[in-house]
Structures are given as C-alpha cells and as structure tokens.
C-alpha cells in the first residue's frame, strides 16, 4: 500500500474539505442553536404522560422544530425554542392543549444562553490542556515529531467536523461541544497504534530499507485493526443517527463525521506528516554539514 509516495494526493483530499470549511467558518460561522444564543423557555405540566416525540410533533406543526425538549418529573416538559413573542408562545401552548390534553404552564419566559462564553472558553481551555498533555506524553514515549504529526491530524479532524457543520449550516447545540472533545480524545487512538508500530519497526529496521517503505509497511500492518475498530464504532453511530431520536442527532452526527475524519487522518495524514518532518530534519542536517 503506497501511503507515503501518494501523500500529496492524501493532503489534497483533506484540503478539498478543509479549505471550503474554513472559508465557510470565516464568512458565515456556525449556525448556533438556542443553547448558545438564548431564546424562549416553556415549562409545561401535562395531566397525562407525554413523550418527546409527542411534543416534537406539535412543535414541528407550529414551525418551531429547532428546539430542545427535556422531560421532567411529574409529567412536566421543558421546551426551549428560539425567541418567541408572547402571542406566539400563547399559540404554542394552545396547540399543546389541543393535541396533547390539559396542561398547566409552570414557566413562560425568555432566557439567556445555556452555553455561555465562559463554558465555551472552558471547552477551548480543556482542548488546549489536552494538546499540551498529548504533546508532552507522545514526546516522552515517542519523539516530538510524532507529537506534532498527531496534533496536526487531530486538528484536521476537528476542522473537518466544524467546517462541514458550517458549510451545511447544521444547527449546533451544547452536545456539539461534547462531541468535539470526544472526537479529539478518540481520534488519537488509531494514530498512536500506527506510530507505535512505526517505532517498533524502526528498532528492527534493515539497513537497506528506506524510511518510506518502513512507514508504508507499518501502516499496512495496522490497517486491518484500524478499519475494524472504526467500522464497529460507525455501525453504532449510524444506528443512533437514524433511530436515536432528535435529542442525540447533533452529537451523533458530529461524532460520526469526526470518527470518519479521524480514521482517514490516522492512516493518510499522520504518518506522512511525520515522514515529511523527518525528511525536513535530514535536509536541515545536510545543509548544516555542507555549510560546515
């Protein structure tokens, strides 16, 4: 399998998604849901038990589909929507009564964002600390160039997910932040497995074996394991996407895109980036030797 020899093709394929995604992020950003922007909140106590699907049907018919629904104790339901006028909220409550039975309005108000600037800042801080920890650990167990290549591959995965969400203006909620952090932690696994095999093969490297051939062989030896692992996760995520309900859709879709991007970057980006860093290091050494 020719990974290193065709690495420019793999880089180009990544850029085909990354560049439009970055442009979209700069021009139109993400479609932030009410968790980020705030909106209206209704807390309704029904006489009989209702399901999320029941409430969702009423909201869809009232063209308030982009909302979050949370079941509470005692047949209560908390509905968060984009900002609605009082008359619109009254109409919505009326539709609920007509279609789902008698209810009592326990709370009716406009609210601020659940995910405030502080939480977003904390998530970014967690990401930064994770990067520092990974760089330190991988540098200690492998070498610094492995750490750089791994982080580049992880950033690729996150940018692919956020870029696609921005391009298609898929509404993001608070679970999107959790999905991004999860993808960041999950994607490193396959990369480390491949790096570990490269390190192992470097110790047993034959004198006449080139570095590109060694990397290709290492990726090939771990390819079956990587594909099998990713496929099992993808099967679960696809099932959740179609049958997991609306509440988990954003999280599942972000995870699915992230896992696929992670599998691609682990196989086609991480090792080639490490190889290019090694080649650059050798070129620097040769240049210094000539200068001396």
């Amino acid at each position: 399998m020719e990974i290193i020899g065709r690495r420019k093709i793999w880089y180009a394929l990544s850029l085909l998604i990354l560049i439009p995604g970055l442009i979209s992020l700069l021009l139109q950003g993400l479609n932030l849901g009410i968790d980020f922007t705030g909106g209206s909140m209704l807390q309704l106590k029904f006489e009989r038990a209702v399901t999320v699907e029941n409430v969702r049907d009423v909201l869809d018919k009232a063209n308030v589909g982009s909302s979050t629904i949370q079941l509470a104790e005692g047949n209560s339901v908390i509905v968060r929507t984009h900002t609605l006028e009082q008359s619109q909220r009254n109409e919505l409550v009326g539709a609920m009564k007509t279609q789902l039975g008698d209810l009592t309005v326990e709370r009716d108000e406009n609210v601020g964002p659940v995910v405030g600037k502080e939480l977003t800042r904390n998530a970014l801080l967690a990401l930064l600390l994770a990067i520092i920890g990974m760089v330190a650990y991988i540098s200690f167990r492998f070498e610094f160039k492995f750490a750089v290549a791994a982080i580049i591959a992880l950033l690729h995965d996150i940018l692919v997910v956020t870029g696609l969400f921005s391009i298609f203006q898929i509404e993001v909620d608070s679970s999107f932040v959790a999905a991004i952090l999860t993808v960041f932690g999950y994607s490193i696994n396959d990369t480390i497995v491949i790096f570990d095999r490269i390190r192992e093969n470097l110790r047993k490297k034959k004198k006449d074996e080139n570095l590109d051939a060694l990397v290709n062989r290492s990726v090939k030896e771990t390819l079956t394991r990587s594909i099998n692992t990713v496929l099992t996760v993808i099967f679960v995520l696809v099932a959740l996407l179609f049958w997991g309900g609306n509440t988990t859709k954003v999280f599942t879709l972000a995870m699915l895109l992230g896992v696929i991007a992670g599998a691609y970057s682990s196989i086609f980006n991480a090792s080639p980036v490490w190889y290019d860093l090694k080649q650059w290091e050798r070129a620097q050494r040769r240049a210094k030797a000539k200068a001396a």
Side-chain angles (χ1 to χ4, degrees):
M1 188 171 186
E2 190 56 64
I3 297 292
I4 299 301
R6 296 177 179 168
R7 63 189 185 282
K8 290 181 181 176
I9 296 176
W10 315 134
Y11 293 157
L13 289 175
S14 290
L15 291 175
L16 277 177
I17 297 178
L18 288 175
I19 292 175
L22 287 171
I23 293 173
S24 178
L25 282 168
L26 289 173
L27 294 180
Q28 58 183 359
L30 290 168
N31 180 13
L32 299 176
I34 57 174
D35 285 351
F36 293 88
T37 61
S40 299
M41 187 175 82
L42 289 167
Q43 184 165 348
L44 310 172
K45 183 178 177 61
F46 289 87
E47 292 294 320
R48 62 180 178 85
V50 295
T51 64
V52 171
E53 287 73 23
N54 295 146
V55 179
R56 177 71 63 191
D57 286 342
V58 178
L59 292 171
D60 287 342
K61 290 174 184 174
N63 295 320
V64 198
S66 57
S67 54
T68 60
I69 303 166
Q70 179 185 348
L71 297 179
E73 291 182 357
N75 295 339
S76 290
V77 178
I78 299 171
V79 179
R80 294 174 61 89
T81 70
H82 57 78
T83 304
L84 299 174
E85 299 294 333
Q86 187 60 54
S87 59
Q88 293 174 301
R89 298 204 295 273
N90 292 340
E91 285 179 16
L92 187 59
V93 171
M96 292 279 185
K97 281 183 179 176
T98 303
Q99 298 179 48
L100 301 179
D102 288 338
L103 60 86
T104 304
V105 179
E106 295 183 323
R107 197 172 172 189
D108 177 2
E109 58 189 18
N110 288 325
V111 296
V114 172
V115 182
K117 289 182 180 177
E118 186 178 351
L119 185 55
T120 305
R121 189 168 57 247
N122 288 342
L124 292 174
L125 181 62
L127 214 57
L128 180 64
L129 291 175
I131 289 174
I132 293 172
M134 285 180 186
V135 168
Y137 179 76
I138 297 172
S139 298
F140 174 71
R141 293 301 304 267
F142 295 84
E143 65 174 18
F144 182 66
K145 292 178 191 62
F146 277 119
V148 173
I151 296 303
I152 289 174
L154 288 175
L155 293 177
H156 162 279
D157 304 340
I158 289 176
L159 288 174
V160 165
V161 177
T162 53
L164 288 174
F165 266 70
S166 175
I167 289 172
F168 295 103
Q169 285 295 286
I170 303 169
E171 188 173 301
V172 300
D173 57 25
S174 56
S175 66
F176 182 78
V177 177
I180 290 296
L181 293 174
T182 307
V183 165
F184 198 80
Y186 176 83
S187 293
I188 192 71
N189 290 331
D190 278 341
T191 305
I192 290 297
V193 168
I194 295 172
F195 283 174
D196 190 48
R197 183 57 57 94
I198 291 174
R199 181 180 61 171
E200 188 180 317
N201 287 335
L202 278 172
R203 291 171 182 160
K204 299 182 287 186
K205 180 176 177 295
K206 297 175 184 175
K207 288 184 178 178
D208 57 346
E209 186 178 26
N210 293 325
L211 188 60
D212 56 342
L214 184 143
V215 174
N216 285 333
R217 180 162 62 88
S218 302
V219 173
K220 186 179 177 182
E221 288 172 356
T222 55
L223 192 61
T224 304
R225 182 261 181 207
S226 298
I227 291 174
N228 287 340
T229 305
V230 168
L231 281 179
T232 54
V233 178
I234 286 176
F235 289 150
V236 173
L237 291 173
V238 169
L240 274 175
L241 188 63
F242 285 102
W243 298 288
N246 285 318
T247 311
T248 59
K249 253 191 174 45
V250 171
F251 178 83
T252 308
L253 181 60
M255 279 292 298
L256 182 61
L257 293 173
V259 167
I260 293 172
Y264 180 85
S265 68
S266 295
I267 297 169
F268 297 105
N269 290 153
S271 302
V273 167
W274 175 78
Y275 174 82
D276 279 334
L277 289 172
K278 293 294 286 186
Q279 294 301 101
W280 177 79
E281 181 188 40
R282 289 181 179 181
Q284 292 293 105
R285 285 179 182 171
R286 282 197 294 268
K288 284 183 181 177
K290 281 184 181 177

